[in-house]
Amino acid sequence: MKTRKLYNRIKGLRVERGLSRKQLADQIGVNPQTVGYLERQDYNPSLDLAFRISEFFEFPVEFIFSTSSMKPMSEGLRDEINDSLRFK
Amino acid sequence: MKNLKFLSVINLAALLVMNIAFYFVFRGRVASHLYDGAGIASLVVVAVTFIPLFWKSGIWKLTHAKADKLDERELALTHWALSESYGWFAVICLVIMLAFSFIGKMNICPQYTISMPLVASLIYLSHVLPGVMIAWKYGVQKRSE
């Protein structure tokens, strides 16, 4: 069975919190190289690791991981602001 | 990564040359010093390429680490490397056995039996083959501890 590629926001979230790969790796219990693989989207994490990551960043799993390509967080925020302004 | 691919080719080729050279030494043909020299030189090449290829790259540590010391990606990687290398190693052993039976049947070199260098090479190969698989497909696997 061929697995689907999972897209994620790990790099953006890590950089935004000013963490190094090693610091994040220590927090989620993997090797720093694995964080690199996750950030490059070369490796699909297990459900357990995905939940550990989401618990660490305090975001829902579906916010961090997706099966379709993700917009940058700033773009998402801009859309949200535009939507809220449109309602006013 | 290309460098590791190149080094693994050199390492395994030197191992093959060493076995061929020692095969001729065992056959007791003329100029056996030449084959002795080639065998020893190949052994040196194997040892010299081993250091950057398996030791400094961290691949040896990864393939020989206990399962509880690895994370899930590394476990999946070592599992893949071990199953691939198991297949390759089985094929290599069977080809060697076939070659020996052929040599015996054809009476090419009846005095040549499985030699110490060949057995040592197979032991070495069984240990490094998973690492070769990783070096070939993924490159350096340095672990921080």
Side-chain angles (χ1 to χ4, degrees):
Chain A
M1 187 188 76
K2 205 165 182 208
T3 51
R4 287 186 296 177
K5 184 176 179 167
L6 279 187
Y7 298 87
N8 67 64
R9 297 185 199 272
I10 295 173
K11 190 174 183 181
L13 290 168
R14 175 179 67 77
V15 173
E16 186 246 341
R17 298 204 181 182
L19 295 168
S20 67
R21 279 185 180 171
K22 169 112 181 57
Q23 285 168 323
L24 175 60
D26 290 342
Q27 291 295 323
I28 59 174
V30 296
N31 194 277
Q33 213 185 19
T34 300
V35 174
Y37 272 83
L38 287 166
E39 288 182 353
R40 288 193 301 277
Q41 290 151 167
D42 285 339
Y43 173 69
N44 287 353
S46 67
L47 198 54
D48 176 46
L49 181 56
F51 271 104
R52 264 186 281 155
I53 293 166
S54 83
E55 279 160 16
F56 174 72
F57 286 120
E58 295 171 322
F59 279 117
V61 174
E62 62 270 24
F63 175 78
I64 302 173
F65 298 96
S66 168
T67 51
S68 53
S69 182
M70 285 173 148
K71 279 187 201 170
M73 283 189 285
S74 58
E75 236 176 84
L77 191 65
R78 192 185 57 204
D79 292 347
E80 222 168 274
I81 292 167
N82 286 342
D83 284 347
S84 65
L85 288 175
R86 211 176 299 144
F87 281 118
K88 281 178 185 173
Chain B
M1 187 172 161
K2 272 184 187 166
N3 191 32
L4 286 186
K5 273 189 184 180
F6 176 69
L7 281 174
S8 35
V9 170
I10 298 288
N11 190 274
L12 296 183
L15 196 68
L16 182 69
V17 170
M18 185 190 83
N19 276 287
I20 292 168
F22 284 134
Y23 167 78
F24 283 110
V25 170
F26 273 72
R27 262 182 100 170
R29 284 280 174 96
V30 284
S32 82
H33 288 310
L34 186 71
Y35 294 118
D36 263 337
I40 290 162
S42 310
L43 188 62
V44 170
V45 172
V46 170
V48 166
T49 51
F50 177 88
I51 297 163
L53 175 58
F54 299 113
W55 203 255
K56 285 190 176 167
S57 66
I59 288 174
W60 181 268
K61 242 184 201 173
L62 179 75
T63 52
H64 289 81
K66 282 184 181 165
D68 58 351
K69 299 263 183 234
L70 302 174
D71 68 30
E72 57 172 59
R73 183 191 64 85
E74 291 168 323
L75 268 179
L77 183 66
T78 48
H79 179 262
W80 167 82
L82 284 170
S83 56
E84 283 282 313
S85 59
Y86 172 78
W88 278 99
F89 189 71
V91 169
I92 291 165
C93 286
L94 290 171
V95 167
I96 289 170
M97 282 159 75
L98 184 72
F100 269 95
S101 74
F102 183 72
I103 287 168
K105 271 261 190 302
M106 302 300 283
N107 216 14
I108 296 169
C109 182
Q111 75 273 27
Y112 186 69
T113 52
I114 292 177
S115 66
M116 192 67 128
L118 181 60
V119 175
S121 299
L122 286 175
I123 293 170
Y124 170 79
L125 196 63
S126 68
H127 277 85
V128 299
L129 219 44
V132 169
M133 299 292 156
I134 293 171
W136 196 261
K137 200 167 179 191
Y138 296 99
V140 181
Q141 292 295 320
K142 264 215 177 341
R143 306 193 78 247
S144 62
E145 275 157 339

